[in-house]
Amino acid sequence: MANSKYEYVISFEVEDEIMLPNIIVVNIDGRDFSRFSEMHEFMKPNDKRALELMNDCAKTVSEQFPDIIFSYGFSNEYSFVFKKETKFYQRRASKIFSLIISYFSSVYVTKWKEFFPQTEMRFPPSFQSQVISCASMEVLQAYLAWRQRECHLSNQYNTCLWELIRNGKSGKEAEEILKGTHKQDKNELLYEGFNINYKEQEAIFRQGTCILKTEVQHIVKYNKDGSPVQRLRMKAIKVHSKNIASRSFWNDYLCLCRELGQFAEDVNKIKPDYVKSFLHGSKMMTSTWIVIRIDGCHFHRFSDVHEFEKPNDAQALNLMNSCAVGVLEEFRDIVFSYGVSDEYSFVLKKESLLYQRRSSEIVSAIVSLFSSMYTIKWKEFFPQKELKHVPYFDGRAVCYPTFEILLDYLAWRQVDCHINNQYNTCFWMLVKSGKSKIEAQNNLKGTQSQEKNELLTRLSGIIDYYNTLPLMFRRGSSVFWHMHDDEKMANRGNEPVRKCCKVVVEHCNIIEKSFWEAHPDILGEKLSCWKPLRCTFPSDSHHLTRRVTCCDCEVAKFARSDNLSPLEQPSTNCL
């Protein structure tokens, strides 16, 4: 990220490293999956295809991230256990759970047709996730025992519920019949009322599914005489067990003992204090602006594989914008978002109580939905290109205590957009002119904004070339709710005109006070006391947007600190 006077906002980001020797578990759970299952007509109480889809996604996640050594899932949830000594993304909780949930969501969409070839996906699936920090093997054992017990109890209850409904009871009547019943009561109801022996139900329903890694011999090459050369490698396999927290199950798989440790004894009863700790989630400070920033993971490689146009691919950026629009339409507490390249920042209103302000739930829900939408919408924006790699993103939540600091954060991101885009425009123009990438980097080393503009003019033969580029490249994209008159009502003569809201995408200068004065309804704050860093912008005749006039070449000059070195060398992975 580029340096600017706004960069102080980084200090509000909180470190969330999970310290050793804690064992990291990422739990993911379907968000509003009852609606999703109804819309896609899943079989009740269990749809085996839907469960196998979840299992296949979990297996793919385990193969993608080698540090995941064990996972357990049932219904629409999964828990991923990392090896004890993992250094995965420096053990930062937000990075870990957002990457896992994002990858899982994208894989779910890509694999949908394998399991539901005759069913169109009607809306994007999304999940929530959190990190469970297990201080010891005893805690991990209790967690796994708790989740498998939940699998059994929920499946037994749902089996009874849907048998009653199928035999003529209403939903409320069935719930009333089951109220206060114990496990044995439900077993007797199933056997005597419906001739079902619960213990003979498929293991995938009663016990859930484990994905674990075991060592297998793998042929890496052949000798000249034709004999194979084999090496041990880890392979993810699916297994079912009636007690995944037992010592006997754990000891059957050496990789689990080696990477995590052994269970000292079997769990007979789960301590309530353990369960309470698993349900705990940190909350963001009240009456502060919450910003969720998501960022593409390995998007440099992703853009190369999919042959995105350099330095900017308009369709890729429009795909990002379309996903952001969908996120705003789903989460009405998001009042503004700003995106550039492969990142997006979503601003929640200050008084938001979304998910009781629990950071992991907010971040994971937004990252998951964004990832699903990106995968679903791919063909809409790239009809001639196959999606070769699963896109995924990481995310974090940051609280900004004042309106002024929030605006400085947004200004920081737009300054970053300008500096990165100007550099990348120069870099790729040099490469396309015949320079190697190293030569292009050396040519740009130490150059300032004006020198880059002169370079672009010389290479392109167009005066002030940079300011002829589309605003989306130079300013990024702002997505927000816009109040407008209902056109149908406006054509009905004397009837009062109704106001409507819609999400719009615009490419504005959000550093200038004039944008926020023109849209006071976005953040609902007055600007009378806001004193931004002082500057004077010359007028810009290029593509005026909403009365905002700004020469983008001046943005970096204005924002750059006086004591910064002249070196400006941002990354070259813009879309």
Side-chain angles (χ1 to χ4, degrees):
M1 294 180 179
N3 293 322
S4 74
K5 286 184 177 180
Y6 299 111
E7 204 171 52
Y8 78 92
V9 297
I10 297 175
S11 63
F12 290 91
E13 298 181 5
V14 179
E15 291 297 325
D16 57 354
E17 180 183 353
I18 302 169
M19 304 302 293
L20 288 166
N22 289 289
I23 299 169
I24 296 173
V25 179
V26 174
N27 172 267
I28 74 169
D29 196 5
R31 188 181 73 88
D32 199 10
F33 246 66
S34 58
R35 178 169 66 113
F36 186 87
S37 63
E38 288 173 7
M39 288 290 291
H40 296 94
E41 300 177 345
F42 285 0
M43 291 181 62
K44 303 294 184 181
N46 296 291
D47 191 304
K48 192 172 183 179
R49 293 179 302 169
L51 291 175
E52 292 292 6
L53 171 55
M54 289 288 295
N55 294 339
D56 209 47
C57 292
K59 186 171 180 286
T60 303
V61 169
S62 295
E63 292 167 342
Q64 172 69 16
F65 303 105
D67 280 18
I68 295 174
I69 202 68
F70 177 79
S71 56
Y72 171 75
F74 66 95
S75 185
N76 56 2
E77 81 161 68
Y78 244 97
S79 296
F80 297 92
V81 183
F82 286 73
K83 57 187 181 183
K84 194 170 186 177
E85 303 295 327
T86 182
K87 295 294 194 301
F88 186 66
Y89 282 97
Q90 293 75 52
R91 299 177 68 91
R92 287 176 289 169
S94 58
K95 191 92 169 179
I96 294 171
F97 76 70
S98 59
L99 283 173
I100 299 301
I101 198 76
S102 177
Y103 194 83
F104 191 98
S105 302
S106 293
V107 171
Y108 193 98
V109 173
T110 59
K111 288 183 175 289
W112 175 263
K113 278 298 181 183
E114 294 180 32
F115 295 88
F116 295 94
Q118 306 302 322
T119 305
E120 286 297 323
M121 185 174 278
R122 297 180 181 177
F123 63 90
S126 60
F127 301 82
Q128 290 176 302
S129 65
Q130 63 175 323
V131 165
I132 309 293
S133 182
C134 296
S136 65
M137 284 298 291
E138 181 187 10
V139 178
L140 174 64
Q141 187 179 23
Y143 174 80
L144 295 175
W146 172 52
R147 295 324 300 147
Q148 190 164 45
R149 186 187 68 176
E150 286 298 309
C151 169
H152 164 70
L153 293 177
S154 63
N155 182 66
Q156 188 186 46
Y157 179 90
N158 288 327
T159 302
C160 293
L161 179 74
W162 285 100
E163 285 299 329
L164 287 167
I165 291 173
R166 271 193 283 267
N167 282 270
K169 301 294 183 182
S170 68
K172 287 186 177 180
E173 289 172 333
E175 290 172 358
E176 193 62 33
I177 291 171
L178 294 173
K179 192 174 182 179
T181 57
H182 299 288
K183 290 191 292 184
Q184 187 58 38
D185 300 324
K186 295 184 183 72
N187 282 337
E188 291 174 0
L189 172 64
L190 289 172
Y191 188 75
E192 295 174 4
F194 310 110
N195 197 30
I196 294 174
N197 185 340
Y198 181 74
K199 292 182 179 179
E200 293 179 354
Q201 296 288 295
E202 291 189 59
I204 190 176
F205 303 151
R206 294 182 294 109
Q207 300 172 358
T209 303
C210 300
I211 309 292
L212 52 87
K213 290 176 179 175
T214 185
E215 290 181 335
V216 297
Q217 291 287 348
H218 176 64
I219 299 175
V220 294
K221 64 178 181 178
Y222 290 91
N223 292 319
K224 292 180 179 180
D225 61 1
S227 60
V229 176
Q230 295 183 328
R231 297 283 187 273
L232 284 176
R233 71 177 182 91
M234 302 300 288
K235 180 182 180 182
I237 60 172
K238 289 190 297 183
V239 298
H240 301 283
S241 171
K242 65 180 181 180
N243 190 353
I244 63 172
S246 67
R247 285 182 299 170
S248 58
F249 171 76
W250 207 254
N251 291 339
D252 283 342
Y253 300 97
L254 294 177
C255 62
L256 299 181
C257 297
R258 183 175 63 247
E259 298 291 358
L260 290 166
Q262 293 180 315
F263 293 148
E265 57 186 29
D266 286 346
V267 177
N268 295 319
K269 188 176 181 180
I270 303 169
K271 298 176 183 178
D273 289 343
Y274 276 155
V275 175
K276 288 180 182 178
S277 68
F278 299 145
L279 296 173
H280 172 73
S282 61
K283 294 184 178 181
M284 307 291 282
M285 188 181 298
T286 57
S287 300
T288 57
W289 298 95
I290 298 175
V291 174
I292 309 299
R293 186 169 77 244
I294 71 171
D295 200 0
C297 187
H298 301 306
F299 252 66
H300 178 73
R301 182 178 63 189
F302 185 87
S303 63
D304 285 344
V305 168
H306 294 96
E307 299 177 339
F308 285 178
E309 186 178 342
K310 303 292 185 180
N312 297 287
D313 191 300
Q315 285 300 87
L317 293 173
N318 285 325
L319 171 54
M320 292 286 292
N321 295 342
S322 180
C323 295
V325 169
V327 169
L328 261 72
E329 290 174 341
E330 176 71 13
F331 297 103
R332 294 302 293 265
D333 276 18
I334 298 175
V335 293
F336 184 81
S337 63
Y338 174 77
V340 53
S341 186
D342 59 345
E343 76 163 56
Y344 244 99
S345 296
F346 297 92
V347 180
L348 277 71
K349 59 186 179 182
K350 187 166 61 174
E351 64 275 16
S352 173
L353 294 177
L354 181 65
Y355 299 122
Q356 291 73 56
R357 298 177 75 90
R358 287 191 289 268
S359 58
S360 63
E361 292 186 42
I362 299 172
V363 172
S364 59
I366 291 174
V367 170
S368 176
L369 182 63
F370 194 97
S371 304
S372 293
M373 283 185 166
Y374 194 100
T375 309
I376 289 174
K377 290 174 175 286
W378 175 265
K379 274 296 181 186
E380 180 183 339
F381 290 87
F382 294 99
Q384 306 303 322
K385 290 184 180 181
E386 288 298 322
L387 187 59
K388 297 177 181 179
H389 287 299
V390 172
Y392 58 111
F393 303 79
D394 65 64
R396 66 174 59 194
V398 184
C399 282
Y400 295 103
T402 68
F403 175 61
E404 293 80 9
I405 295 173
L406 171 66
L407 294 186
D408 281 354
Y409 167 82
L410 295 171
W412 173 51
R413 301 317 308 131
Q414 189 163 54
V415 168
D416 202 58
C417 168
H418 163 77
I419 295 176
N420 280 327
N421 184 65
Q422 189 186 44
Y423 178 92
N424 285 316
T425 302
C426 293
F427 176 85
W428 287 104
M429 190 169 284
L430 285 168
V431 170
K432 291 173 183 177
S433 72
K435 301 285 186 184
S436 69
K437 291 183 178 181
I438 293 178
E439 289 173 331
Q441 289 174 348
N442 289 335
N443 280 9
L444 292 172
K445 192 173 183 179
T447 58
Q448 296 192 24
S449 183
Q450 185 58 37
E451 293 170 294
K452 292 186 181 76
N453 280 335
E454 292 170 358
L455 173 65
L456 290 173
T457 296
R458 185 169 69 253
L459 291 173
S460 66
I462 300 173
I463 297 175
D464 198 18
Y465 172 79
Y466 185 73
N467 273 328
T468 68
L469 298 176
L471 285 174
M472 181 168 62
F473 301 165
R474 294 182 285 132
R475 292 181 178 172
S477 300
S478 298
V479 183
F480 53 92
W481 288 95
H482 171 57
M483 187 81 71
H484 65 98
D485 293 339
D486 187 334
E487 295 180 2
K488 292 181 180 179
M489 295 294 291
N491 294 327
R492 292 185 180 179
N494 295 325
E495 292 187 32
V497 178
R498 184 176 60 188
K499 293 289 185 179
C500 294
C501 277
K502 67 176 181 179
V503 179
V504 297
V505 180
E506 296 191 1
H507 315 295
C508 318
N509 176 0
I510 59 174
I511 298 175
E512 276 288 275
K513 183 178 178 180
S514 56
F515 171 80
W516 302 103
E517 287 177 331
H519 304 85
D521 53 309
I522 293 178
L523 300 178
E525 294 276 353
K526 294 182 179 179
L527 298 176
S528 56
C529 62
W530 179 45
K531 296 181 180 179
L533 300 175
R534 303 307 302 164
C535 70
T536 302
F537 288 110
S539 62
D540 179 8
S541 61
H542 298 287
H543 313 291
L544 297 181
T545 303
R546 289 276 185 112
R547 293 182 289 156
V548 178
T549 58
C550 162
C551 175
D552 292 276
C553 293
E554 296 297 316
V555 174
K557 292 180 182 179
F558 154 56
R560 197 176 301 118
S561 296
D562 297 332
N563 60 353
L564 288 178
S565 86
L567 176 62
E568 290 179 6
Q569 192 164 331
S571 60
T572 58
N573 63 342
C574 288
L575 296 180

